[in-house]
Amino acid sequence: MNRYWSGLAYFLVDEHMKKISNVFWITLALVVIAVSFGAFAPEGFKSVTDSMQAFITSSFGWYYLLVVTSIVLFCLFFIVSPIGQIRLGKPGEKPEYSRISWFAMLFSAGMGIGLVFWGAAEPLSHFAINPATTEPGSQEAFQEAMRYTFFHWGIHAWAIYAVVGMSLAYFQFRKGAPGLISSTLRPIFGDRINGPFGTFIDVLAVFATVVGVATTLGFGAIQINGGLAYLFDLPISFPVQVVIIIIVTILFIASAWSGLSKGIKYLSNINIILAAILLVLLVILGPTLLIFNTFTDTIGSYLQNIVRMSFQTAPVNQEFRSWIDGWTIFYWAWWISWAPFVGVFIARVSRGRTIREFLVGVLLLPAIVSFFWFSTFGATAMDVQTRSADLTNLLTEETLFAVFHELPFSMVLSIVAVLLVAIFFITSADSATFVLGMQTTYGSLYPPNMVKLTWGISASAIAMILLSAEGLDALQNALIIAALPFSFVIILMMGSIYKALHIEQKELGLHIRPTRRKK
């Protein structure tokens, strides 16, 4: 009997090992090196990564602006092009998920916790703490704060996710290629992509995802700790954050174990319901008229200034240039660094949709929802700052709860917000473990649970180690640094999918032809 169980265990382990790619081991080694550096020499690690990040944002700001704007134009072209009729799947294939569940999943993975964390804090910072070009607290600062918040969280951010997700979904579900970042470059590099170059690209994508989910776990724990501290006077401390990470880890691993169609789908739907409840409550209890006026006015201001903001580097204004580097360029690098994770996930849940439907759903709808979200939370925070309380000296993770404190039913709002952060937190981590499992098992659509478990525990351990050593900021810097080489990969992906779609467009005869009137 012992021989039987030993043989079965060997067989199961051997089967899992066959599914694990070299990308798993290489990335795991790189992560161990980076985390060891961050844990045992946090000051040195932070100093090195600070210098590298500062050099990249200041020297390549112009490059990031051009690349991200090109990505936006690339996506808009496919929305209006006849190519938009092509399906991200076999001809006639139907979508796997309903539109509501699909939108909920891509939105939860793409922004999720960031909207709650920065919903009140970013507009407030641009308005009262560090405006881009105007006087703090002025009417001009209010308008500028909202315009730049829309810019940072709007179409540009989602276009980065969209172009990566579209490329992956097209080559995987229509052409039958493995669900790997490297597979999207086959039209350019051919079989050479199977060698070291392809492995390098996949390792870069997985490294960015591991580091991203670890920093999310760390900063998410800090935010939940901040909310609990504001609500129940719990101390903001490392032991409390460890308990939060352990609880969240157990929950997201349980969700990951249940599969994509159950855990992530159900949690994402709950996210959307809770977010809608919180949003409606704040619209009713907050400055309702100001919220709607802010949303309408800022949409116009955003559209009016989007071209200028997209290319603005302030070459002769050093102070404004530093602000752009610290906010806009940082955000562009941040979204690029998250593109492998979010792109792989939204590709996986978008099978069967047309390119046009995919781009409208990923590019435009989330941006509009984000605009109204920031109008609601941002306008309320700035109204509180102007009328009743100084919020500028609070920690970022406490700002939202301080805003709620000045409104009726503050406890209800705060509890809903903490629940929303926690579930967004679980959903993001759950999505990331799925993506990591997929990317390290040759693009498997159903990665083994043991692989997902390994990555989930690893990410949580990394977050706790770096929280204890105060090394999360350095790891965040490492993520921004990884964005620079991955930006070149995105450029290659754009060329590759355009080449493949142009060939298919000719084969299918998809062209715009003027209709001649009969005489």
Side-chain angles (χ1 to χ4, degrees):
M1 182 64 71
N2 288 337
R3 185 179 299 175
Y4 167 77
W5 286 112
S6 298
L8 179 61
Y10 177 80
F11 171 77
L12 291 174
V13 172
D14 187 53
E15 284 301 301
H16 283 314
M17 294 297 286
K18 288 178 182 177
K19 294 179 181 178
I20 297 174
S21 67
N22 291 333
V23 173
F24 177 91
W25 303 109
I26 295 171
T27 310
L28 197 60
L30 289 175
V31 169
V32 169
I33 292 170
V35 171
S36 300
F37 194 6
F40 295 111
E43 292 183 3
F45 188 36
K46 189 172 188 306
S47 176
V48 170
T49 56
D50 276 347
S51 299
M52 293 178 68
Q53 185 210 328
F55 172 76
I56 289 172
T57 53
S58 62
S59 301
F60 290 90
W62 60 271
Y63 166 76
Y64 278 120
L65 291 174
L66 290 176
V67 167
V68 174
T69 303
S70 298
I71 291 171
V72 173
L73 295 175
F74 188 77
C75 291
L76 293 176
F77 165 75
F78 280 123
I79 290 177
V80 300
S81 168
I83 294 175
Q85 302 172 50
I86 296 175
R87 196 168 293 277
L88 299 174
K90 301 302 180 184
E93 187 172 3
K94 299 299 182 182
E96 187 174 356
Y97 301 99
S98 68
R99 282 195 176 95
I100 294 176
S101 293
W102 172 62
F103 178 79
M105 285 191 283
L106 69 90
F107 192 77
S108 296
M111 293 296 178
I113 198 170
L115 290 178
V116 185
F117 193 83
W118 290 107
E122 182 172 339
L124 180 69
S125 176
H126 298 337
F127 169 66
I129 302 172
N130 183 26
T133 62
T134 55
E135 289 296 319
S138 64
Q139 181 180 343
E140 292 77 13
F142 184 105
Q143 295 170 330
E144 186 179 67
M146 292 308 305
R147 183 170 68 248
Y148 270 103
T149 302
F150 276 30
F151 181 56
H152 294 154
W153 292 80
I155 292 173
H156 288 67
W158 284 98
I160 296 169
Y161 295 159
V163 76
V164 175
M166 178 178 68
S167 299
L168 283 159
Y170 174 78
F171 287 109
Q172 183 178 15
F173 300 129
R174 192 166 183 89
K175 298 300 182 183
L180 302 172
I181 298 291
S182 58
S183 297
T184 64
L185 305 183
R186 188 171 295 278
I188 295 178
F189 295 100
D191 290 338
R192 288 175 293 173
I193 205 65
N194 297 329
F197 179 59
T199 301
F200 167 76
I201 290 172
D202 291 330
V203 166
L204 184 65
V206 175
F207 179 81
T209 303
V210 175
V211 174
V213 71
T215 52
T216 296
L217 285 167
F219 289 123
I222 291 172
Q223 186 181 20
I224 293 175
N225 192 180
L228 295 175
Y230 202 88
L231 288 172
F232 308 113
D233 292 326
L234 278 178
I236 297 180
S237 64
F238 174 66
V240 174
Q241 291 159 10
V242 168
V243 172
I244 292 170
I245 290 176
I246 291 172
I247 294 172
V248 168
T249 301
I250 292 170
L251 292 173
F252 82 69
I253 286 177
S255 175
W257 205 274
S258 67
L260 187 66
S261 295
K262 293 181 180 178
I264 298 177
K265 177 183 174 181
Y266 294 153
L267 286 174
S268 297
N269 288 337
I270 293 171
N271 280 340
I272 291 298
I273 293 170
L274 282 176
I277 291 171
L278 186 62
L279 190 63
V280 170
L281 284 175
L282 198 59
V283 169
I284 295 171
L285 300 173
T288 308
L289 185 59
L290 178 64
I291 289 169
F292 283 107
N293 283 335
T294 298
F295 173 71
T296 306
D297 184 74
T298 310
I299 285 284
S301 177
Y302 168 72
L303 294 175
Q304 184 180 8
N305 291 277
I306 190 170
V307 175
R308 183 73 187 98
M309 292 188 293
S310 296
F311 295 97
Q312 195 161 31
T313 61
V316 294
N317 186 336
Q318 187 57 45
E319 187 176 352
F320 186 29
R321 172 62 192 275
S322 297
W323 190 94
I324 292 172
D325 289 345
W327 283 99
T328 303
I329 305 305
F330 179 87
Y331 266 125
W332 283 188
W334 183 255
W335 302 138
I336 289 172
S337 68
W338 272 89
F341 155 44
V342 182
V344 170
F345 183 77
I346 63 176
R348 173 62 184 87
V349 300
S350 300
R351 183 174 190 168
R353 301 194 181 276
T354 65
I355 288 176
R356 182 173 293 115
E357 183 184 12
F358 173 86
L359 289 174
V360 170
V362 175
L363 188 65
L364 301 181
L365 292 181
I368 293 171
V369 172
S370 299
F371 292 163
F372 191 69
W373 182 277
F374 279 105
S375 296
T376 302
F377 285 79
T380 304
M382 290 186 285
D383 186 63
V384 167
Q385 173 68 28
T386 303
R387 295 179 181 275
S388 56
D390 184 8
L391 307 173
T392 58
N393 295 319
L394 294 171
L395 297 172
T396 304
E397 58 266 23
E398 292 182 322
T399 301
L400 179 63
F401 302 99
V403 172
F404 290 160
H405 184 69
E406 302 298 320
L407 300 174
F409 304 104
S410 61
M411 183 60 72
V412 174
L413 292 170
S414 298
I415 290 172
V416 174
V418 169
L419 286 173
L420 182 61
V421 170
I423 299 177
F424 266 139
F425 196 4
I426 294 167
T427 309
S428 296
D430 189 353
S431 307
T433 55
F434 172 82
V435 169
L436 287 167
M438 185 175 170
Q439 290 291 290
T440 53
T441 54
Y442 301 102
S444 170
L445 292 177
Y446 304 98
N449 282 332
M450 289 305 297
V451 176
K452 293 190 288 184
L453 179 67
T454 300
W455 282 123
I457 293 175
S458 299
S460 299
I462 292 167
M464 287 188 283
I465 290 169
L466 292 171
L467 273 172
S468 68
E470 298 183 354
L472 273 179
D473 287 336
L475 197 62
Q476 186 181 35
N477 289 340
L479 189 62
I480 299 302
I481 294 164
L484 181 61
F486 194 76
S487 68
F488 298 120
V489 176
I490 292 178
I491 293 172
L492 291 173
M493 291 174 77
M494 291 164 63
S496 181
I497 191 172
Y498 180 78
K499 180 179 180 180
L501 285 171
H502 185 64
I503 293 172
E504 187 162 358
Q505 179 188 15
K506 288 184 176 180
E507 292 174 350
L508 297 175
L510 300 176
H511 299 285
I512 298 176
R513 295 184 177 90
T515 303
R516 293 183 179 179
R517 293 183 178 180
K518 294 181 180 180
K519 295 182 179 179

